[in-house]
Amino acid sequence: KLHNDKSTPNEKRLFSDFHTMSEFQPIADAYSPGTSSSSNLLEFISIFRAFTELSPKGRELRKRAFANADGNGNGMCSFAELETFVQNELMTSKKNGKTLFKTFRPSYIRAFVALTSIEKKKKDGNGEKAEDDTLQGTVNAIKDDYVTYAQFRLWNIFLVIHAAMYDAFATVDGEGEGRTEDDDMRIEKSEWMNCYANVQECGFLGLKQVTNDEEANNVFDSMDVDNGGMVLLNEWCRYLSGAEVEADTAMGKLLSGNIELKVTELSESEKAKKKQLREQRKSIVEKNKKQEVTLTPAEKEKLMSPIAGGVYKPGISSSPDLLEFLMVFRPYAEKNTVGYKLRRDGFSIADGNGNNLCSLSELEGYIRATLLTKIEDDNRAKQLFAAFRPCYIRAFQNAKDVKVEVNEDHKEIKHTISFESEATYDDYVTFDEFRYFNVYLCIYAGMFDAFATIDGRGAGRDENDDKRIELSEWMDCRGNVQHHGFAALEGIGDLDEDMAKILFEEMDDNGGGMVLLSEWCEYLTKKEVERGTPMGDMLTARFEVQAKKPRARRQSTIVDAAHPSEFSKLSARSIRTTDLTDKPVIVAEAYQPGISSSKDLIDFVRIFAPYAEKNDEAMKMRRKGYSVADTNANGECSLAELENFISSTLLGSFVGNVRGRSLFALFRPSYIKAYNAAKAIKRNDGSVLAGTKNATEDDFVSLCEFRVFNAYLCIYAGMFDAFARIDGMGEGRDENDDMRVDLNEWMTCYETVKDHGFVAFKNVSNDEEARAAFQSMDDNDGGKVLLGEWCEYVKKAEIEEKTKMGKLLSGDLKPTAVSSPKQKKSIKTPTKAAAKKVPSRRIPKSLKVADVFIPGDSSTDELLDFIHAFRPLAVKSQEGTKLRHSKFSLADTNGNGCCSLAEIDSFIKATLLKEFPQGKGLKLFFTFRPSYIRAYQEAKGIAQDAKKVRGAKDATDDDYITFAEFRILNAFLCIYAAMYDAFARVDGEGEGRDENDDMRIELSEWMSCYRKVKDRGFVALKNVKSDNEAKGVFKKMDADGGGMVLLKEWCDFLKKEEMAKKTTLGVFFQKLRKH
């Protein structure tokens, strides 16, 4: 605005003055923003400029910032850690820090890759790493995949330069300044030709030299390296860097790594000041040494009590923080009944997805949740969590390798988690290793406590810590840790200086002149092992588990699902010994695995074939199985939900988890085939489902399609079994399989699948027919047959032969009718019968939710407890706002200001676990879980600002819960929990959820129980006074006319009636609806 052809002399003078301001001063003598740079970029640079300066202040800033970024104290920062550093600096320095972080986020990875690439090239001319360069605890990472403290200044310079490159890129992309809705993260030629003049003064030579359209056209062709007709951000940055390097500018030398950053020596005055500070710290340390430690008898007893049967004792010099931390986790490490129960509850908290494997992030979640549950002050709990966080990865790394599975020759066997992944069970902590994890957590917390006492010359973590111990710190403070409970530190303060220096050199394994946390822990461990202490034995503990031999057919132990009447009497983990070969397995009278089918397929089909039968017992099984799959109770199952049903059914059918997991992973490629075939059986009108963008009922499997799905599950598993027999020319899936069958494999093995139960293979009798069959299968003439082509060929052959399987696979079927059973579901237990009469009582007004809803007098105690936990978060008051701020920060784990359903789910769980004893809290969480998605869907999008969410393709914050919607969410949690409480009272004709519930209400259930839910706080239930009215209400609730009421229909009806009657709750719904 100040500098153009129409500018007045006064405006040009103002511009000249502005140009000399600090925002435009060169950074590291290499880059200076230009007059075309955006105001956002200038703000961004103003934050990180200080980290690039060669001054005492700059060094101090970098030292503290790197210590904060290096979360695990290993002296190296990953990209994720550096990104967190950028976010923290922006959020704490600028009001619009969150916006700035999101704006320039695409540039951070470019800066990181550019810097680490230079370091790799310096180390090895061809960029390849040495074999012995791999970092401990990683698969193939090397040191040059991280940023060290020595490179941290250079990282900040690269960060600013690449942010400026992106700023210019965003100006051209979408033909507008900064990021807008028109940006698609690629520059088309038309955008470039229209806007190249707008970025000439952005501070880059490659843009400044473009003065006309012809040059602009040539530059675009040079940038578009892959000739894709558009320029991506990496091509843009590569071109700008190349232009600087080619011109040999200061920036070019920096970006190419051809110059070393200059380091200035300290001045004499700075050296004197630093020496004086060191002397002051030393005098303080000496003073502290002379002070005697005075402890009360109770404190001494607490200190001296050993952990895990005498493995580790904290010493009298241990910090109060450590003692409080140990008091929380000590019980989880004990070998007793109480410890076992605690570990069971703790592991269920950590193992969020129920796969019996805990990653580091899941265990960190467990530590955080446990501290928040056990310690009353949330801020204190968070403080302890952050204080000892560097030690968690050490405990994890040690614990996950404790259990080792070996063969007969005692050689280790590693089982991959799934066929698609290289991760093994040894990359996670199992329940068998969970006690060890808690023991290691206490030990490594003690090690870190001693480390932090020396680091920075002060007890605990403070602003002087940089997560490395220098020789001067060691010499000054070693006496402060000799009573920390570790053999290596005993009497360390009495050693002379020469001996202390020798020990320091021994700890400094890499000779870097400082001891990192990893070196410290390894040294302490080494000394414990050398002295043969119980702690040394624990830290090197390994126990071998003999790999199970494959069992003979007659000894295979599974649940006999072929007898549903007996199966229904068994619990999910009950077992029964069955001879698997005594009778054939027939699926829906259409498919029978042939004699060449694998034993794995027979086991798999025997589990799921009963679900495909047409009889009353099978219908009961399907109802129960579908309720397991349909976790959100919306009457529609996605592929993920059905995979969960398959997994849980297999795990519940075998002794232990290994066989069930193995079968699940083995046949997983076939599940999507069965899903896609089954979901199209029931036709619908194409209407979009509520809560989705464009999904219809044809995108999910309903209960009436569930029988066919189970039939397809068996059939497509059979097809895959035959496919895997030929793929790799070996039975089952192994390292030779590539999920495609070539002609050589087919010609070699086609005879092995003739008796697999499919007519397509049965009729292939010679090589000529086999070759013709392969050509028919290879639909795209690619020379290889994919699984999709294989299944389509088998299906087509069955349909052409008009077999029963062909009719089933053709999809020309009527959906299975889901009618109400003629008799009542089951005889009620005495407990149920006793629960029918609910004593009258008055609900206190203190349980009123958001001044719009109060639960009815016949509400269950569980509902009242649930509302008691969340009602305070829905209160409109200063105290309520403060409480919501605290809880939202817990829910928003990634700090992006938006909470997903999974994050809200975890927040609800953590809140209930803290409010109630763990057993009761977990029970409440699972009891009301079907209602959470209702509250979430109702609350999200109320504050309609529709800002895009970073990392999501099309999602906005209207697809998540923001803080502005968090109060309403908690109100809806209480209201929809109450709706579900009434629903569960009718479903199964019993109080709460039990084995009779199938997450849908039939007419007979409603007619038996409608009077029992009159006093639940909803007008729609209160006004039903006769059987005729009850029938009319049921008809209104059953919106799709399916003969049963789903939870969604139930909630929609109650809400609609409240709005129609204009009750306080109805007005609340109506008001929010308008928003």
mmCIF file with all atom_site columns, all heavy atoms in Angstrom, residues 77 120 177 304 399 489 571 677 698 759 771 793 820 831 1016 1068:
data_model
loop_
_atom_site.group_PDB
_atom_site.id
_atom_site.type_symbol
_atom_site.label_atom_id
_atom_site.label_alt_id
_atom_site.label_comp_id
_atom_site.label_asym_id
_atom_site.label_entity_id
_atom_site.label_seq_id
_atom_site.pdbx_PDB_ins_code
_atom_site.Cartn_x
_atom_site.Cartn_y
_atom_site.Cartn_z
_atom_site.occupancy
_atom_site.B_iso_or_equiv
_atom_site.pdbx_formal_charge
_atom_site.auth_seq_id
_atom_site.auth_comp_id
_atom_site.auth_asym_id
_atom_site.auth_atom_id
_atom_site.pdbx_PDB_model_num
ATOM 1   N N   . CYS A 1 77   ? 15.840  -34.888 18.769  1.00 0.00 ? 77   CYS A N   1
ATOM 2   C CA  . CYS A 1 77   ? 14.428  -34.505 18.604  1.00 0.00 ? 77   CYS A CA  1
ATOM 3   C C   . CYS A 1 77   ? 13.885  -35.057 17.292  1.00 0.00 ? 77   CYS A C   1
ATOM 4   O O   . CYS A 1 77   ? 14.460  -34.828 16.220  1.00 0.00 ? 77   CYS A O   1
ATOM 5   C CB  . CYS A 1 77   ? 14.277  -32.983 18.612  1.00 0.00 ? 77   CYS A CB  1
ATOM 6   S SG  . CYS A 1 77   ? 14.344  -32.276 20.255  1.00 0.00 ? 77   CYS A SG  1
ATOM 7   N N   . LYS A 1 120  ? 22.883  -36.250 6.471   1.00 0.00 ? 120  LYS A N   1
ATOM 8   C CA  . LYS A 1 120  ? 23.153  -37.583 5.931   1.00 0.00 ? 120  LYS A CA  1
ATOM 9   C C   . LYS A 1 120  ? 24.170  -37.523 4.799   1.00 0.00 ? 120  LYS A C   1
ATOM 10  O O   . LYS A 1 120  ? 25.048  -38.368 4.682   1.00 0.00 ? 120  LYS A O   1
ATOM 11  C CB  . LYS A 1 120  ? 21.846  -38.214 5.429   1.00 0.00 ? 120  LYS A CB  1
ATOM 12  C CG  . LYS A 1 120  ? 20.894  -38.596 6.549   1.00 0.00 ? 120  LYS A CG  1
ATOM 13  C CD  . LYS A 1 120  ? 19.591  -39.124 5.994   1.00 0.00 ? 120  LYS A CD  1
ATOM 14  C CE  . LYS A 1 120  ? 18.601  -39.409 7.119   1.00 0.00 ? 120  LYS A CE  1
ATOM 15  N NZ  . LYS A 1 120  ? 17.296  -39.843 6.615   1.00 0.00 ? 120  LYS A NZ  1
ATOM 16  N N   . GLU A 1 177  ? -3.859  -14.095 -1.066  1.00 0.00 ? 177  GLU A N   1
ATOM 17  C CA  . GLU A 1 177  ? -2.838  -14.066 -0.021  1.00 0.00 ? 177  GLU A CA  1
ATOM 18  C C   . GLU A 1 177  ? -3.209  -15.032 1.095   1.00 0.00 ? 177  GLU A C   1
ATOM 19  O O   . GLU A 1 177  ? -4.308  -15.015 1.610   1.00 0.00 ? 177  GLU A O   1
ATOM 20  C CB  . GLU A 1 177  ? -2.707  -12.649 0.543   1.00 0.00 ? 177  GLU A CB  1
ATOM 21  C CG  . GLU A 1 177  ? -1.571  -12.542 1.565   1.00 0.00 ? 177  GLU A CG  1
ATOM 22  C CD  . GLU A 1 177  ? -1.377  -11.123 2.041   1.00 0.00 ? 177  GLU A CD  1
ATOM 23  O OE1 . GLU A 1 177  ? -1.843  -10.201 1.348   1.00 0.00 ? 177  GLU A OE1 1
ATOM 24  O OE2 . GLU A 1 177  ? -0.767  -10.937 3.094   1.00 0.00 ? 177  GLU A OE2 1
ATOM 25  N N   . MET A 1 304  ? 11.419  -46.609 53.435  1.00 0.00 ? 304  MET A N   1
ATOM 26  C CA  . MET A 1 304  ? 12.167  -47.856 53.515  1.00 0.00 ? 304  MET A CA  1
ATOM 27  C C   . MET A 1 304  ? 11.363  -49.061 53.083  1.00 0.00 ? 304  MET A C   1
ATOM 28  O O   . MET A 1 304  ? 11.899  -50.156 52.997  1.00 0.00 ? 304  MET A O   1
ATOM 29  C CB  . MET A 1 304  ? 12.674  -48.064 54.947  1.00 0.00 ? 304  MET A CB  1
ATOM 30  C CG  . MET A 1 304  ? 13.619  -46.957 55.429  1.00 0.00 ? 304  MET A CG  1
ATOM 31  S SD  . MET A 1 304  ? 14.995  -46.645 54.271  1.00 0.00 ? 304  MET A SD  1
ATOM 32  C CE  . MET A 1 304  ? 15.864  -48.197 54.402  1.00 0.00 ? 304  MET A CE  1
ATOM 33  N N   . ALA A 1 399  ? 10.084  -53.564 29.395  1.00 0.00 ? 399  ALA A N   1
ATOM 34  C CA  . ALA A 1 399  ? 8.990   -54.493 29.713  1.00 0.00 ? 399  ALA A CA  1
ATOM 35  C C   . ALA A 1 399  ? 8.527   -55.291 28.503  1.00 0.00 ? 399  ALA A C   1
ATOM 36  O O   . ALA A 1 399  ? 8.167   -56.460 28.633  1.00 0.00 ? 399  ALA A O   1
ATOM 37  C CB  . ALA A 1 399  ? 7.817   -53.722 30.311  1.00 0.00 ? 399  ALA A CB  1
ATOM 38  N N   . LEU A 1 489  ? 25.508  -45.656 43.094  1.00 0.00 ? 489  LEU A N   1
ATOM 39  C CA  . LEU A 1 489  ? 25.617  -44.319 43.676  1.00 0.00 ? 489  LEU A CA  1
ATOM 40  C C   . LEU A 1 489  ? 25.986  -44.338 45.157  1.00 0.00 ? 489  LEU A C   1
ATOM 41  O O   . LEU A 1 489  ? 26.243  -43.291 45.744  1.00 0.00 ? 489  LEU A O   1
ATOM 42  C CB  . LEU A 1 489  ? 24.285  -43.569 43.497  1.00 0.00 ? 489  LEU A CB  1
ATOM 43  C CG  . LEU A 1 489  ? 23.782  -43.418 42.054  1.00 0.00 ? 489  LEU A CG  1
ATOM 44  C CD1 . LEU A 1 489  ? 22.429  -42.704 42.040  1.00 0.00 ? 489  LEU A CD1 1
ATOM 45  C CD2 . LEU A 1 489  ? 24.789  -42.652 41.206  1.00 0.00 ? 489  LEU A CD2 1
ATOM 46  N N   . SER A 1 571  ? -20.674 -69.092 28.498  1.00 0.00 ? 571  SER A N   1
ATOM 47  C CA  . SER A 1 571  ? -20.188 -67.717 28.519  1.00 0.00 ? 571  SER A CA  1
ATOM 48  C C   . SER A 1 571  ? -19.246 -67.520 27.358  1.00 0.00 ? 571  SER A C   1
ATOM 49  O O   . SER A 1 571  ? -18.870 -68.464 26.664  1.00 0.00 ? 571  SER A O   1
ATOM 50  C CB  . SER A 1 571  ? -19.449 -67.437 29.829  1.00 0.00 ? 571  SER A CB  1
ATOM 51  O OG  . SER A 1 571  ? -18.269 -68.213 29.893  1.00 0.00 ? 571  SER A OG  1
ATOM 52  N N   . ALA A 1 677  ? -20.771 -57.940 -0.577  1.00 0.00 ? 677  ALA A N   1
ATOM 53  C CA  . ALA A 1 677  ? -21.831 -58.761 -1.175  1.00 0.00 ? 677  ALA A CA  1
ATOM 54  C C   . ALA A 1 677  ? -23.109 -58.710 -0.340  1.00 0.00 ? 677  ALA A C   1
ATOM 55  O O   . ALA A 1 677  ? -24.217 -58.671 -0.886  1.00 0.00 ? 677  ALA A O   1
ATOM 56  C CB  . ALA A 1 677  ? -21.350 -60.206 -1.320  1.00 0.00 ? 677  ALA A CB  1
ATOM 57  N N   . ASP A 1 698  ? -27.574 -48.931 2.090   1.00 0.00 ? 698  ASP A N   1
ATOM 58  C CA  . ASP A 1 698  ? -26.848 -49.883 1.249   1.00 0.00 ? 698  ASP A CA  1
ATOM 59  C C   . ASP A 1 698  ? -25.350 -49.878 1.513   1.00 0.00 ? 698  ASP A C   1
ATOM 60  O O   . ASP A 1 698  ? -24.619 -50.700 0.967   1.00 0.00 ? 698  ASP A O   1
ATOM 61  C CB  . ASP A 1 698  ? -27.091 -49.582 -0.246  1.00 0.00 ? 698  ASP A CB  1
ATOM 62  C CG  . ASP A 1 698  ? -28.424 -50.149 -0.714  1.00 0.00 ? 698  ASP A CG  1
ATOM 63  O OD1 . ASP A 1 698  ? -29.014 -50.959 0.026   1.00 0.00 ? 698  ASP A OD1 1
ATOM 64  O OD2 . ASP A 1 698  ? -28.877 -49.782 -1.811  1.00 0.00 ? 698  ASP A OD2 1
ATOM 65  N N   . VAL A 1 759  ? -17.384 -75.484 -8.080  1.00 0.00 ? 759  VAL A N   1
ATOM 66  C CA  . VAL A 1 759  ? -17.484 -76.120 -9.398  1.00 0.00 ? 759  VAL A CA  1
ATOM 67  C C   . VAL A 1 759  ? -16.455 -75.556 -10.375 1.00 0.00 ? 759  VAL A C   1
ATOM 68  O O   . VAL A 1 759  ? -16.048 -76.231 -11.314 1.00 0.00 ? 759  VAL A O   1
ATOM 69  C CB  . VAL A 1 759  ? -18.902 -75.952 -9.993  1.00 0.00 ? 759  VAL A CB  1
ATOM 70  C CG1 . VAL A 1 759  ? -19.920 -76.691 -9.159  1.00 0.00 ? 759  VAL A CG1 1
ATOM 71  C CG2 . VAL A 1 759  ? -19.277 -74.484 -10.132 1.00 0.00 ? 759  VAL A CG2 1
ATOM 72  N N   . ARG A 1 771  ? -5.134  -73.733 -18.403 1.00 0.00 ? 771  ARG A N   1
ATOM 73  C CA  . ARG A 1 771  ? -4.638  -72.502 -19.028 1.00 0.00 ? 771  ARG A CA  1
ATOM 74  C C   . ARG A 1 771  ? -5.819  -71.624 -19.474 1.00 0.00 ? 771  ARG A C   1
ATOM 75  O O   . ARG A 1 771  ? -5.795  -70.395 -19.330 1.00 0.00 ? 771  ARG A O   1
ATOM 76  C CB  . ARG A 1 771  ? -3.742  -72.852 -20.205 1.00 0.00 ? 771  ARG A CB  1
ATOM 77  C CG  . ARG A 1 771  ? -2.921  -71.686 -20.730 1.00 0.00 ? 771  ARG A CG  1
ATOM 78  C CD  . ARG A 1 771  ? -1.835  -72.100 -21.710 1.00 0.00 ? 771  ARG A CD  1
ATOM 79  N NE  . ARG A 1 771  ? -0.637  -72.565 -21.033 1.00 0.00 ? 771  ARG A NE  1
ATOM 80  C CZ  . ARG A 1 771  ? -0.277  -73.834 -20.894 1.00 0.00 ? 771  ARG A CZ  1
ATOM 81  N NH1 . ARG A 1 771  ? -1.041  -74.791 -21.389 1.00 0.00 ? 771  ARG A NH1 1
ATOM 82  N NH2 . ARG A 1 771  ? 0.834   -74.166 -20.272 1.00 0.00 ? 771  ARG A NH2 1
ATOM 83  N N   . TYR A 1 793  ? -14.616 -64.934 -10.530 1.00 0.00 ? 793  TYR A N   1
ATOM 84  C CA  . TYR A 1 793  ? -14.649 -66.104 -11.444 1.00 0.00 ? 793  TYR A CA  1
ATOM 85  C C   . TYR A 1 793  ? -15.379 -67.275 -10.784 1.00 0.00 ? 793  TYR A C   1
ATOM 86  O O   . TYR A 1 793  ? -16.219 -67.933 -11.406 1.00 0.00 ? 793  TYR A O   1
ATOM 87  C CB  . TYR A 1 793  ? -13.219 -66.497 -11.796 1.00 0.00 ? 793  TYR A CB  1
ATOM 88  C CG  . TYR A 1 793  ? -13.111 -67.759 -12.626 1.00 0.00 ? 793  TYR A CG  1
ATOM 89  C CD1 . TYR A 1 793  ? -13.416 -67.753 -13.994 1.00 0.00 ? 793  TYR A CD1 1
ATOM 90  C CD2 . TYR A 1 793  ? -12.729 -68.962 -12.047 1.00 0.00 ? 793  TYR A CD2 1
ATOM 91  C CE1 . TYR A 1 793  ? -13.327 -68.920 -14.748 1.00 0.00 ? 793  TYR A CE1 1
ATOM 92  C CE2 . TYR A 1 793  ? -12.630 -70.129 -12.797 1.00 0.00 ? 793  TYR A CE2 1
ATOM 93  C CZ  . TYR A 1 793  ? -12.937 -70.100 -14.142 1.00 0.00 ? 793  TYR A CZ  1
ATOM 94  O OH  . TYR A 1 793  ? -12.848 -71.251 -14.894 1.00 0.00 ? 793  TYR A OH  1
ATOM 95  N N   . SER A 1 820  ? -41.157 -60.712 15.529  1.00 0.00 ? 820  SER A N   1
ATOM 96  C CA  . SER A 1 820  ? -41.189 -60.869 16.983  1.00 0.00 ? 820  SER A CA  1
ATOM 97  C C   . SER A 1 820  ? -41.400 -62.330 17.321  1.00 0.00 ? 820  SER A C   1
ATOM 98  O O   . SER A 1 820  ? -42.218 -63.010 16.713  1.00 0.00 ? 820  SER A O   1
ATOM 99  C CB  . SER A 1 820  ? -42.332 -60.042 17.578  1.00 0.00 ? 820  SER A CB  1
ATOM 100 O OG  . SER A 1 820  ? -42.171 -58.693 17.238  1.00 0.00 ? 820  SER A OG  1
ATOM 101 N N   . THR A 1 831  ? -33.867 -62.053 40.553  1.00 0.00 ? 831  THR A N   1
ATOM 102 C CA  . THR A 1 831  ? -33.357 -60.679 40.645  1.00 0.00 ? 831  THR A CA  1
ATOM 103 C C   . THR A 1 831  ? -34.151 -59.764 39.738  1.00 0.00 ? 831  THR A C   1
ATOM 104 O O   . THR A 1 831  ? -34.518 -58.656 40.092  1.00 0.00 ? 831  THR A O   1
ATOM 105 C CB  . THR A 1 831  ? -31.882 -60.643 40.245  1.00 0.00 ? 831  THR A CB  1
ATOM 106 O OG1 . THR A 1 831  ? -31.189 -61.610 41.031  1.00 0.00 ? 831  THR A OG1 1
ATOM 107 C CG2 . THR A 1 831  ? -31.279 -59.281 40.485  1.00 0.00 ? 831  THR A CG2 1
ATOM 108 N N   . ARG A 1 1016 ? -40.005 -41.341 34.111  1.00 0.00 ? 1016 ARG A N   1
ATOM 109 C CA  . ARG A 1 1016 ? -38.584 -41.238 33.745  1.00 0.00 ? 1016 ARG A CA  1
ATOM 110 C C   . ARG A 1 1016 ? -38.196 -39.815 33.346  1.00 0.00 ? 1016 ARG A C   1
ATOM 111 O O   . ARG A 1 1016 ? -37.066 -39.578 32.919  1.00 0.00 ? 1016 ARG A O   1
ATOM 112 C CB  . ARG A 1 1016 ? -38.265 -42.199 32.599  1.00 0.00 ? 1016 ARG A CB  1
ATOM 113 C CG  . ARG A 1 1016 ? -38.348 -43.662 32.982  1.00 0.00 ? 1016 ARG A CG  1
ATOM 114 C CD  . ARG A 1 1016 ? -37.290 -44.039 34.012  1.00 0.00 ? 1016 ARG A CD  1
ATOM 115 N NE  . ARG A 1 1016 ? -37.411 -45.410 34.468  1.00 0.00 ? 1016 ARG A NE  1
ATOM 116 C CZ  . ARG A 1 1016 ? -36.452 -46.318 34.409  1.00 0.00 ? 1016 ARG A CZ  1
ATOM 117 N NH1 . ARG A 1 1016 ? -35.282 -45.993 33.896  1.00 0.00 ? 1016 ARG A NH1 1
ATOM 118 N NH2 . ARG A 1 1016 ? -36.637 -47.527 34.869  1.00 0.00 ? 1016 ARG A NH2 1
ATOM 119 N N   . PHE A 1 1068 ? -35.443 -26.178 24.817  1.00 0.00 ? 1068 PHE A N   1
ATOM 120 C CA  . PHE A 1 1068 ? -33.979 -26.309 24.782  1.00 0.00 ? 1068 PHE A CA  1
ATOM 121 C C   . PHE A 1 1068 ? -33.529 -26.967 23.472  1.00 0.00 ? 1068 PHE A C   1
ATOM 122 O O   . PHE A 1 1068 ? -32.633 -26.474 22.791  1.00 0.00 ? 1068 PHE A O   1
ATOM 123 C CB  . PHE A 1 1068 ? -33.547 -27.149 25.987  1.00 0.00 ? 1068 PHE A CB  1
ATOM 124 C CG  . PHE A 1 1068 ? -32.062 -27.365 26.106  1.00 0.00 ? 1068 PHE A CG  1
ATOM 125 C CD1 . PHE A 1 1068 ? -31.206 -26.310 26.391  1.00 0.00 ? 1068 PHE A CD1 1
ATOM 126 C CD2 . PHE A 1 1068 ? -31.524 -28.635 25.963  1.00 0.00 ? 1068 PHE A CD2 1
ATOM 127 C CE1 . PHE A 1 1068 ? -29.838 -26.514 26.522  1.00 0.00 ? 1068 PHE A CE1 1
ATOM 128 C CE2 . PHE A 1 1068 ? -30.164 -28.851 26.092  1.00 0.00 ? 1068 PHE A CE2 1
ATOM 129 C CZ  . PHE A 1 1068 ? -29.329 -27.786 26.371  1.00 0.00 ? 1068 PHE A CZ  1
#
